[in-house]
Amino acid sequence: SQKIEQNSEALNIQEGKTATLTCNYTNYSPAYLQWYRQDPGRGPVFLLLIRENEKEKRKERLKVTFDTTLKQSLFHITASQPADSATYLCALDGGSGNTGKLIFGQGTTLQVKP
Amino acid sequence: DADVTQTPRNRITKTGKRIMLECSQTKGHDRMYWYRQDPGLGLQLIYYSFDVKDINKGEISDGYSVSRQAQAKFSLSLESAIPNQTALYFCATSDPGQGPDTQYFGPGTRLTVL
């Protein structure tokens, strides 16, 4: 069955550094991958989408890469700030036959210290 | 005003009670979803609806039912609540006309079953 893995351990970094979060998947080939941010007690908020034929996507201080050979996406936040502290979820499309559904990873919590 | 609203925001109930969680959206999206989130487990899909007449079970539909009263409204019911249904519940919407299914989440309902 389809499986998504994100680092379950929290990532703690110093303000100004680059945070890198990992999303690995197995057993299928998604057409696209999305990253969401979730603050405690609130709903996830969409950040970025990258398609299978794209290697990299950027938005302001955010960068996402998608390696379909390694079955991995990396999510980078450059010049991190304490306000970036949150849980970040990756989500993949459900594959052929599951159009319109997303499969979410369990999320990685990022803590940026001043 | 928020595009996706959920009521109630918090609910405490007793085992065996029937309860309903409601979701309304002003985004005009046809697709709506119900998820539950447990610590460390990420988002699990309960039910989804691609239009008013199309309702589908997700991966964890047992013990739940839904009603799509209109394009804008999608309700989740727990017929006979049990303690392991204690979780954070999210409603989401999406519009395939805007490309891949980026989802827009409500603020969540925290449900406690005693």
Side-chain angles (χ1 to χ4, degrees), chain B residues 3 15 52 56 74 80 88 92 103-104 108:
Chain B
D3 294 321
T15 297
V52 174
N56 305 279
F74 193 33
S80 179
L88 195 53
Q103 296 191 4
Y104 299 84

Side-chain angles (χ1 to χ4, degrees), chain B residues 30-42:
Chain B
D30 285 327
R31 295 183 175 182
M32 298 187 73
Y33 309 79
W34 274 105
Y35 294 90
R36 67 175 278 174
Q37 186 174 44
D38 299 277
L41 291 181

Side-chain angles (χ1 to χ4, degrees), chain B residues 52-68:
Chain B
V52 174
K53 297 182 180 180
D54 178 59
I55 292 178
N56 305 279
K57 294 182 178 180
E59 55 188 310
I60 58 162
S61 59
D62 287 348
Y64 302 94
S65 63
V66 292
S67 173
R68 184 82 183 266

Side-chain angles (χ1 to χ4, degrees), chain A residues 9-78:
Chain A
E9 293 186 10
L11 178 63
N12 295 292
I13 65 168
Q14 206 67 32
E15 181 177 8
K17 301 293 185 182
T18 296
T20 298
L21 286 68
T22 304
C23 176
N24 295 297
Y25 60 94
T26 59
N27 295 334
Y28 78 129
S29 299
Y32 56 87
L33 183 148
Q34 303 181 28
W35 284 89
Y36 289 77
R37 169 182 172 142
Q38 186 176 23
D39 292 286
R42 306 189 72 172
V45 175
F46 170 76
L47 295 175
L48 278 171
L49 179 149
I50 186 166
R51 300 176 189 272
E52 61 177 337
N53 60 350
E54 297 175 316
K55 296 295 185 185
E56 181 180 299
K57 189 70 86 60
R58 292 176 184 261
K59 178 182 177 182
E60 299 174 348
R61 294 184 296 111
L62 309 180
K63 184 178 83 171
V64 173
T65 63
F66 194 9
D67 189 324
T68 55
T69 300
L70 293 178
K71 294 187 181 296
Q72 180 181 81
S73 175
L74 299 179
F75 177 79
H76 306 272
I77 305 176
T78 59

